[in-house]
């Protein structure tokens, strides 16, 4: 279990990538993990080809939630929104490279959930209420 | 200890290691094989062999549906089921088992009162007073019933340490009719003890009823419903080493008798016709459907178990010693902030804390690797967390099987957490 807190996770927690705010985001969203109070506010800028040019986030919470968002932000810069929309739970697990219990998995997935909520809102598609039904990510009841 | 503990004889001293031998799950933790240092009994307690055996014995030797079958096993199951009701009555010193309603737990017991008594007796101009300490289970039902009836929900405030501020209680009753005061006896998040010896007389002076959420008190300290002078008490079996899925509502008989049923179906009826029905006597009027038979019997076995290890006063004394010891250990850790009342105050066996530079979830996960189990989060008290200015806390809680070594391992583990996060 100590493996969860590998040095690169702790490094992302202490010095997160893309932390801060964007002057002119294309869309933004915020979300909480009701289980432990993790919070993220994510802003995304997209160019005319629907390609992500910048991501900034602020938030507070456990090392897993904040480090995962940091890692995810690096990953999605340069991707198209369609590519981001296709990302799922397994992609996040692979990105952070650690085994997580179901409860801690929610911490790790918060970043992707918030990004997708923002995408739904931007696209005018039905944004899921909270966590339930966010694309491929299925949530147990809390 | 206030309440009724002081009137009891000096309790016997518990031997938590001896007691732990009764708990199969504590023998070896899933991550290390070492003894499980289980410090999350405030969420749910572990079960002794005696309770587990009781459930097995019911299903293997005396199971049938209760109250109606005419055959031998039905009579046995009914006798044991109603025997458990008598054990609950005795444990809280109720006057009659007719005052003991089995529910799914504390939450359902509170919902029963909110829906049955609340919707019948509350209306515009009425006031329900609760506290800022409440678990969501004694907050949300009253929000709902007040919204539905037009009654107003008001709060006894807490100070910055999470202790109730009782200086201006009368202001809470101004401008309306105070009908109910419903308070958590011991806070699950902070260990704060509500001084019922002050709150109950105040409520009574306004002609109000008093409901007590005993989820964190009944398993840990003597609770005598007659001595407390209250009207309703809700608590759960699973927090007192009994099975999950069962609990009890105690209410004064004349109140329960006047309250309408809130769930309808089998068991709770006397006579049914296509055009209508009449309802059963107490307590079955409030127990619609087949109850949790084996679990209720196991609930009784848990109460027997508490008696067998020295009784509830002995558990309370042991917990006080463990809480004081744990408090001292944690207070010595740099950057660690304990919430709630100080160690010398009347408090429950809950140590809630934050640690600079770490999130409670990370703390709990790292401790789990050492088979030290604590809780992390908002503990189902989101408004209280906001009031105290924290997002979440880590919480260690003690019980009859807690040893000093369990708490030493907690403190050692917290030292390791500080090293992992580069704080030491």
């Amino acid at each position: 279990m100590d493996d969860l807190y590998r040095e690169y996770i702790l490094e992302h927690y202490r010095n997160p990538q893309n932390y801060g705010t964007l002057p002119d985001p294309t869309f933004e969203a915020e979300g909480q993990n009701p289980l432990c109070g993790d919070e993220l506010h994510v802003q995304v800028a997209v160019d005319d080809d629907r390609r992500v040019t910048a991501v900034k986030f602020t938030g507070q919470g456990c090392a897993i939630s904040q480090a995962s968002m940091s890692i995810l932000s690096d990953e999605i810069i340069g991707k198209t929104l369609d590519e981001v929309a296709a990302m799922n739970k397994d992609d996040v697990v692979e990105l952070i490279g650690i085994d997580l219990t179901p409860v801690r998995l929610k911490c790790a997935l918060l970043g992707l959930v918030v990004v997708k909520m923002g995408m739904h809102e931007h696209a005018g598609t039905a944004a899921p209420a909270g966590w339930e039904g966010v694309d491929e990510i299925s949530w147990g009841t809390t | 200890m206030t309440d009724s503990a002081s009137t009891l004889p000096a309790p016997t001293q518990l031997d938590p290691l001896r007691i732990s031998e009764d708990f199969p799950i504590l023998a070896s933790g899933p991550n290390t094989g070492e003894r499980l240092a289980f410090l999350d009994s405030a969420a749910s307690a572990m079960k002794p062999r005696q309770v587990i055996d009781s459930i097995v014995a019911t299903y293997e030797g005396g199971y049938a549906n209760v109250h109606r079958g005419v055959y031998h096993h039905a009579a046995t199951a009914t006798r044991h089921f109603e025997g458990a009701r008598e054990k609950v009555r005795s444990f809280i010193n109720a006057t009659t088992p007719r005052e003991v309603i089995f529910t799914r737990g504390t939450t359902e017991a509170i919902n029963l009162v909110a829906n049955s008594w609340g919707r019948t007796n509350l209306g515009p101009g009425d006031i329900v007073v609760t506290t800022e300490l409440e678990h969501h289970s004694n907050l949300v039902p009253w929000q709902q019933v007040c919204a539905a009836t037009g009654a107003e929900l008001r709060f006894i405030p807490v100070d910055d340490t999470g202790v109730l501020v009782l200086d201006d209680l009368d202001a809470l009753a101004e401008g309306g009719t105070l009908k109910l005061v419903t308070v958590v006896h011991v806070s699950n998040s902070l260990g704060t003890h509500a001084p019922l010896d002050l709150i109950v007389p105040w409520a009574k002076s306004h002609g109000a009823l008093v409901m007590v959420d005993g989820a964190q008190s009944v398993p840990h300290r003597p609770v005598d419903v007659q001595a407390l002078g209250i009207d309703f008490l809700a608590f759960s079996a699973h927090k007192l080493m009994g099975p999950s899925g069962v609990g009890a509502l105690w209410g004064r008989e004349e109140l329960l008798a006047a309250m309408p049923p809130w769930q309808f179906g089998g068991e709770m009826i006397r006579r049914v016709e296509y055009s209508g029905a009449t309802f059963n006597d107490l307590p079955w009027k409030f127990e619609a459907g087949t109850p949790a038979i084996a679990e209720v019997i196991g609930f009784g076995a848990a109460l027997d178990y508490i008696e067998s290890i020295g009784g509830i006063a002995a558990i309370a004394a042991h917990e006080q010693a463990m809480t004081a010891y744990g408090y001292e250990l944690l207070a010595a850790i740099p950057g660690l902030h304990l919430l709630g009342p100080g160690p010398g105050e009347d408090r429950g066996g809950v140590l809630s804390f934050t640690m600079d530079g770490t999130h409670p979830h990370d703390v709990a996960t790292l401790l789990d690797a050492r088979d030290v189990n604590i809780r992390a989060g908002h503990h189902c008290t989101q408004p209280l967390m906001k009031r105290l200015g924290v997002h979440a806390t880590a919480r260690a809680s003690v019980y009859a099987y807690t040893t000093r070594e369990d708490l030493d391992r907690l403190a050692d583990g917290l030292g390791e957490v500080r090293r992992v996060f580069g704080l030491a």
Side-chain angles (χ1 to χ4, degrees), chain B residues 149-213:
Chain B
T149 60
E152 190 187 340
L153 186 59
R154 297 181 180 177
F155 297 88
I156 299 174
V158 293
D159 66 17
D160 291 341
T161 66
V163 171
L164 290 174
V165 179
L166 304 178
D167 299 345
D168 203 10
L169 283 178
D170 280 333
L172 291 171
E174 277 172 15
T177 308
L178 181 61
K179 285 281 187 73
L180 176 75
V181 177
T182 180
V183 297
V184 65
H185 198 180
V186 173
S187 158
N188 69 306
S189 292
L190 303 175
T192 307
H193 171 252
L196 294 178
D197 52 342
L198 299 175
I199 294 170
V200 174
W202 169 72
K204 295 293 162 184
S205 76
H206 287 272
L209 300 181
V210 178
M211 172 147 192
V212 172
D213 169 357

Side-chain angles (χ1 to χ4, degrees), chain B residues 48-59 301:
Chain B
R49 171 62 66 198
Q50 289 82 344
V51 168
I52 299 165
D53 285 349
S54 152
I55 292 168
V56 172
T58 296
Y59 284 126

Side-chain angles (χ1 to χ4, degrees), chain A residues 1-2 4-5 7 10 13-14 33-39 60-64 101 103-104 107, chain B residues 31 357-359 361-366 368-369 376-379 382 391-392 416 419-422:
Chain A
M1 198 69 84
D2 285 347
L4 274 189
Y5 297 91
E7 194 46 46
L10 293 169
Y13 175 57
R14 287 190 211 106
N33 180 350
L35 234 58
C36 55
D38 296 332
E39 291 175 3
Q60 65 83 31
C62 68
I64 305 297
T101 60
V103 167
R104 300 310 305 275
C107 306
Chain B
N31 295 315
T358 64
H359 187 278
H361 251 191
D362 296 320
V363 173
T365 298
L366 281 163
D368 179 50
H378 52 62
H379 318 298
Q382 289 179 8
H391 291 277
E416 172 64 16
R419 279 188 289 282
V420 167
F421 279 87

Side-chain angles (χ1 to χ4, degrees), chain A residues 27 46 53 71 76 83 87 100 103:
Chain A
F27 62 85
V46 179
T53 54
I71 295 166
I76 63 178
E83 288 170 332
M87 289 182 74
L100 292 163
V103 167

